[in-house]
């Protein structure tokens, strides 16, 4: 009754006001609050699970660091084997969200200058924020798809968009730079309130990231090394003014209650107690009771072994044990649905019982943190051959010091193992370049940088691996959803799948899904296990040769190609 009275009161107030005072497509925005509402709308497209889930699939699950644990899931099998199909949801969903953000940003850029109750300074600030969001969205689009449609005005008639043609990626990179240069000149050092809006530090940081990307394989513009180093140095020199610094304890970066830390330069934040971040569930293992997640990702011991045991980042990065706060039981990798270490960075629930709120948390997603800026400055200077010991001390060694690792020296010997991984590295500081690449791998793992790094270094050969999915110790019934209730039944490849009426049911009364199980050469099998009747799921017998440049990009979503044939033909031999 109280809610109804409030609603009626609001309606009466609405009807008594002049229409010009209200936000509408024809008359928006008027106030700063309405400008901010538009900005939050633009940001909302990034806070959806299409980013945290599908961008993780694109940026991490297709690398040497992560295995996408999947049971007969065709879309994720494609990710593991890099054999993307154009109807994969992890392609079309991010595409749609990025373009939704771009269109929302373009509306802001067009409408905010007409806000009648806002000063010119504030208008410019919000336009700069919109241009930042547009630039960031295009930065992801061109790295995933290369040439795409470039929009710098709102699309009101979506049928007209079906005739637009693609813009070359190099031209889009230049547009991204223009937007970010405007943003860094007009964004504030700090907003009056909130932590989610882009700042001048965010603009300069993203610009340095764009520059170092353009210096790599994507654009191959060597002049960008100097720009990347310089722009990162601007952030470093003004860190105190911008209110940014390294977190003292690396592990504290990954606590829900510390998500507003000063190392985060730009992040996706979620409302306190109302967050919808699914990363924790996606990275947590299955089969561990109320602590279970969905087990989408795990890593292999061979990758963990690349970390020094003395490096504190190792324990903060890899999840090998969970002590349940509900039953006080200790679960180790042997208990995990996939009996391998999982990514730990996103797994803090910020509460006692992780299973609450459908396993969603308030955990933030850092897009750019200060550590990356230090690494960009060091890498760019090393590539230019001008890095000094003082530079190392002011960048990489700050990261190593906080995890109690010995400092890197300018004369560090060349590591033969790194040299074999990156045979194209050359120059007077080859030794340091290799070590900085190692440092990026350790510092930023699971944060969405690995595939991009391998791409700009032209190191795709590292991905010539046989992908593996979930581990099954033998035939029988298994729970795949983490709720403790069996979902599937693995049977021998020469057995017959029962008729629907004869299939066993679980405790929920649901029919089990049956799979004939065998080796990858078994023509009767529908699920392939490493050892035939046990082991990890295999999705492809032989990865073969990493195809350059094809596998550095993904095909344009089929749905978009159907709507607009001008998006074709697919680049690099994709279909």
């Amino acid at each position: 009754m109280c809610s109804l009275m409030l609603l009626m009161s609001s309606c009466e107030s609405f009807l008594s006001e002049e229409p010009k005072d209200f936000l509408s497509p024809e008359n928006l925005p008027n106030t700063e609050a309405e400008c901010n509402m538009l900005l939050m709308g633009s940001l909302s497209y990034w806070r959806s699970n299409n980013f945290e889930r599908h961008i993780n699939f694109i940026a991490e699950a297709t690398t040497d660091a992560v295995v996408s644990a999947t049971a007969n899931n065709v879309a994720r099998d494609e990710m593991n084997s890099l054999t993307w199909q154009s109807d994969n949801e992890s392609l079309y969903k991010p595409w749609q969200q990025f373009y939704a953000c771009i269109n929302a940003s373009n509306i802001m850029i067009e409408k905010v200058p007409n806000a009648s109750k806002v000063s010119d300074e504030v208008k410019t600030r919000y336009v700069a924020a919109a241009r930042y969001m547009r630039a960031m969205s295009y930065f992801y689009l061109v790295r995933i798809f290369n040439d795409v449609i470039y929009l710098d005005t709102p699309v009101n008639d979506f049928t007209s968009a079906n005739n637009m043609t693609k813009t070359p990626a190099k031209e889009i990179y230049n547009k991204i730079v223009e937007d970010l240069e405007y943003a860094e000149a007009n964004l504030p050092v700090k907003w009056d309130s909130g932590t989610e809006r882009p700042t001048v530090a965010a603009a300069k940081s993203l610009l340095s990231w764009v520059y170092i990307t353009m210096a790599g394989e994507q654009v191959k513009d060597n002049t960008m090394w100097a720009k990347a180093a310089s722009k990162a140095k601007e952030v470093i020199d003004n860190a105190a003014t911008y209110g940014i610094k390294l977190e003292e304890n690396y592990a504290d970066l990954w606590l829900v209650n510390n998500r507003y830390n000063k190392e985060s330069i730009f992040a996706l934040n979620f409302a306190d107690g109302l967050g919808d971040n699914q990363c924790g569930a996606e990275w947590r293992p299955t089969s561990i009771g109320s602590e279970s997640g969905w087990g989408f990702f795990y890593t292999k011991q061979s990758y963990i072994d690349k970390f020094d045991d003395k490096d504190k980042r190792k324990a903060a990065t890899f999840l090998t044990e969970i002590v349940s706060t509900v039953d006080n039981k200790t679960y180790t990798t042997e208990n995990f649905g996939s009996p391998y270490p999982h990514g730990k960075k996103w797994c803090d629930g910020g509460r006692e019982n992780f299973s609450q709120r459908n396993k969603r948390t308030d955990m933030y997603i850092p897009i750019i943190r200060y550590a990356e800026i230090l690494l960009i400055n060091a890498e760019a200077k090393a590539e230019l051959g001008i890095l000094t010991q003082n530079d190392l001390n002011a960048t990489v060694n700050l990261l190593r010091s906080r995890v109690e690792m010995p400092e890197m020296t300018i004369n560090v010997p060349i590591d033969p193992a790194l040299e074999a991984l990156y045979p194209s590295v050359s120059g007077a500081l080859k030794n340091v370049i290799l070590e900085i690449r190692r440092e990026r791998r350790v510092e930023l793992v699971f944060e969405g940088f690995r595939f991009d790094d391998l791409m700009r270094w032209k190191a795709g050969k590292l991905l010539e691996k046989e992908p593996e999915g979930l581990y099954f110790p033998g035939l029988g019934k298994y729970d795949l959803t983490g709720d403790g209730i069996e979902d599937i039944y693995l049977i021998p490849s020469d057995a017959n799948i029962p008729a629907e009426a004869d299939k066993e049911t679980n405790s929920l009364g649901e029919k089990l899904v049956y799979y004939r199980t065998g080796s990858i050469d078994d023509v009767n099998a529908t699920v392939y296990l490493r050892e035939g009747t046990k082991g990890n799921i295999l999705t492809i017998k032989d990865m073969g040769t990493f195809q350059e440049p094809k596998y550095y990009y993904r095909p344009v979503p089929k749905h978009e190609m159907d709507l607009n044939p001008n998006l074709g033909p697919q680049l690099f031999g994709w279909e």
Side-chain angles (χ1 to χ4, degrees):
M1 177 64 73
C2 181
S3 298
L4 179 59
M5 290 175 66
L6 286 171
L7 178 59
M8 291 174 65
S9 174
S10 299
C11 289
E12 290 172 359
S13 175
F14 175 85
L15 291 172
S16 67
E17 295 285 348
E18 289 291 330
K20 60 181 172 58
D21 290 334
F22 289 90
L23 198 63
S24 66
E26 296 77 22
N27 186 38
L28 68 87
N30 289 306
T31 66
E32 181 175 355
E34 291 169 355
C35 292
N36 189 60
M37 186 172 71
L38 290 180
L39 178 56
M40 292 301 101
S42 179
L43 276 163
S44 71
Y45 293 110
W46 278 73
R47 282 197 290 260
S48 74
N49 66 15
N50 288 295
F51 181 89
E52 64 198 59
R53 174 177 297 177
H54 300 294
I55 297 302
N56 266 326
F57 281 139
I58 291 173
E60 289 288 349
T62 53
T63 72
D64 53 342
V66 178
V67 177
S68 176
T70 165
N72 208 34
N73 184 304
V74 174
R76 295 177 201 166
D77 289 345
E78 293 172 9
M79 299 171 203
N80 278 335
S81 62
L82 296 175
T83 55
W84 294 85
Q85 299 299 308
S86 59
D87 59 353
N88 192 300
E89 68 171 356
S90 287
L91 297 180
Y92 69 76
K93 286 188 175 180
W95 174 287
Q96 292 169 351
Q97 295 301 106
F98 289 139
Y99 273 108
C101 179
I102 289 165
N103 201 51
S105 300
N106 285 337
I107 289 173
M108 281 189 67
I109 294 166
E110 179 182 87
K111 296 286 189 178
V112 165
N114 298 323
S116 59
K117 299 178 181 180
V118 182
S119 68
D120 288 343
E121 179 183 358
V122 172
K123 291 176 187 177
T124 302
R125 183 179 301 171
Y126 279 94
V127 169
R131 293 185 69 166
Y132 178 93
M133 295 305 300
R134 181 171 70 184
M136 189 166 69
S137 297
Y138 271 118
F139 184 45
Y140 276 73
L141 277 169
V142 293
R143 286 181 299 148
I144 297 170
F145 301 106
N146 201 42
D147 299 349
V148 293
I149 291 172
Y150 186 81
L151 303 172
D152 57 6
T153 57
V155 175
N156 299 312
D157 178 11
F158 287 94
T159 59
S160 67
N162 295 339
N163 297 315
M164 294 179 178
T165 58
K166 291 188 292 187
T167 299
K170 289 184 180 181
E171 292 183 26
I172 296 177
Y173 273 106
N174 292 334
K175 295 288 188 181
I176 292 169
V177 170
E178 288 178 14
D179 274 347
L180 292 176
E181 287 176 340
Y182 181 93
E184 70 170 331
N186 293 289
L187 282 171
V189 169
K190 184 178 181 181
W191 293 79
D192 294 337
S193 63
T195 59
E196 65 278 351
R197 291 174 288 187
T199 61
V200 61
K204 289 180 181 293
S205 298
L206 183 53
L207 194 50
S208 70
W209 186 7
V210 171
Y211 284 148
I212 204 168
T213 300
M214 295 175 72
E217 179 65 13
Q218 288 94 327
V219 181
K220 301 177 184 177
D221 185 345
N222 286 329
T223 67
M224 293 297 162
W225 290 117
K227 290 187 175 183
S230 176
K231 194 58 61 177
K233 189 65 163 57
E234 289 179 26
V235 178
I236 294 168
D237 289 345
N238 293 283
T241 299
Y242 297 153
I244 56 179
K245 65 177 183 179
L246 289 179
E247 187 71 21
E248 290 185 11
N249 185 345
Y250 183 82
D252 288 348
L253 284 166
W254 317 112
L255 298 177
V256 169
N257 293 333
N258 191 39
R259 61 192 181 278
Y260 301 120
N261 61 78
K262 293 185 180 296
E263 185 167 335
S264 174
I265 295 176
F266 185 75
L268 306 180
N269 288 311
F270 296 80
D272 294 348
L274 299 173
D276 193 31
N277 188 342
Q278 299 179 163
C279 281
E282 291 164 0
W283 287 85
R284 273 178 175 248
T286 60
S287 304
I288 54 173
S290 63
E291 298 291 337
S292 291
W294 300 330
F296 286 177
F297 311 110
Y298 66 87
T299 190
K300 300 296 287 291
Q301 189 63 44
S302 59
Y303 194 82
I304 293 183
D305 290 342
K306 300 178 188 297
F307 285 64
D308 192 305
D309 287 338
K310 297 187 294 294
D311 193 326
K312 289 189 173 183
R313 290 172 292 196
K314 187 173 187 176
T317 299
F318 300 105
L319 184 66
T320 58
E321 178 180 289
I322 290 182
V323 179
S324 172
T325 57
V326 177
D327 59 15
N328 293 319
K329 182 176 179 180
T330 298
Y331 298 93
T332 65
T333 53
E334 294 180 355
N335 307 117
F336 296 172
S338 294
Y340 300 105
H342 286 55
K344 188 177 182 179
K345 288 184 175 180
W346 314 111
C347 287
D348 179 45
R351 58 178 181 266
E352 184 172 319
N353 188 342
F354 182 75
S355 66
Q356 295 172 345
R357 285 169 47 193
N358 201 22
K359 305 183 181 182
R360 270 71 167 175
T361 75
D362 298 336
M363 187 64 179
Y364 77 133
I365 301 176
I367 305 299
I368 308 172
R369 57 185 178 92
Y370 190 41
E372 190 205 355
I373 303 309
L374 298 178
L375 289 166
I376 286 175
N377 180 261
E379 180 183 351
K381 284 188 172 181
E383 290 283 357
L384 290 166
I386 61 173
L387 187 76
T388 66
Q389 185 63 51
N390 286 338
D391 292 327
L392 276 177
N393 294 341
T395 55
V396 174
N397 285 335
L398 294 180
L399 304 179
R400 294 179 65 81
S401 174
R402 78 165 163 183
V403 293
E404 300 180 6
M405 289 294 289
E407 71 173 23
M408 184 186 300
T409 66
I410 203 73
N411 296 317
V412 59
I414 291 177
D415 184 331
L418 286 175
E419 189 176 32
L421 291 176
Y422 307 110
S424 64
V425 175
S426 60
L429 292 177
K430 173 181 177 177
N431 57 332
V432 181
I433 293 171
L434 291 172
E435 290 298 329
I436 291 172
R437 291 188 179 188
R438 188 209 305 268
E439 200 67 22
R440 284 189 66 90
R441 181 181 67 190
V442 173
E443 177 72 27
L444 302 174
V445 66
F446 305 150
E447 295 179 52
F449 292 97
R450 184 59 175 166
F451 190 90
D452 181 57
D453 281 349
L454 294 177
M455 178 179 177
R456 62 188 183 83
W457 296 335
K458 200 178 180 181
K461 293 294 183 182
L462 294 182
L463 304 183
E464 291 181 348
K465 62 178 182 179
E466 294 177 19
E468 295 181 336
L470 283 172
Y471 176 86
F472 293 98
L475 302 177
K477 306 168 191 175
Y478 290 94
D479 163 33
L480 288 187
T481 60
D483 60 2
I485 300 172
E486 294 156 343
D487 309 295
I488 68 168
Y489 200 153
L490 301 184
I491 62 176
S493 63
D494 57 359
N496 292 321
I497 295 178
E500 192 67 22
D502 298 327
K503 289 181 179 178
E504 290 191 32
T505 59
N506 61 22
S507 60
L508 297 177
E510 299 171 344
K511 299 285 187 180
L512 296 181
V513 179
Y514 285 68
Y515 295 101
R516 288 193 293 268
T517 309
S519 67
I520 200 163
D521 294 316
D522 190 333
V523 295
N524 295 317
T526 54
V527 167
Y528 310 120
L529 298 184
R530 171 71 69 181
E531 298 177 50
T533 57
K534 67 177 182 178
N536 291 91
I537 287 179
L538 297 180
T539 59
I540 191 170
K541 184 175 182 179
D542 184 0
M543 276 295 294
T545 302
F546 184 90
Q547 299 178 44
E548 297 178 333
K550 177 179 179 178
Y551 285 171
Y552 288 133
Y553 299 95
R554 283 77 169 182
V556 172
K558 180 181 184 300
H559 175 70
E560 303 299 328
M561 294 275 287
D562 291 342
L563 289 174
N564 182 6
N566 289 331
L567 285 168
Q570 294 278 13
L571 298 178
F572 312 122
W574 285 109
E575 297 179 359

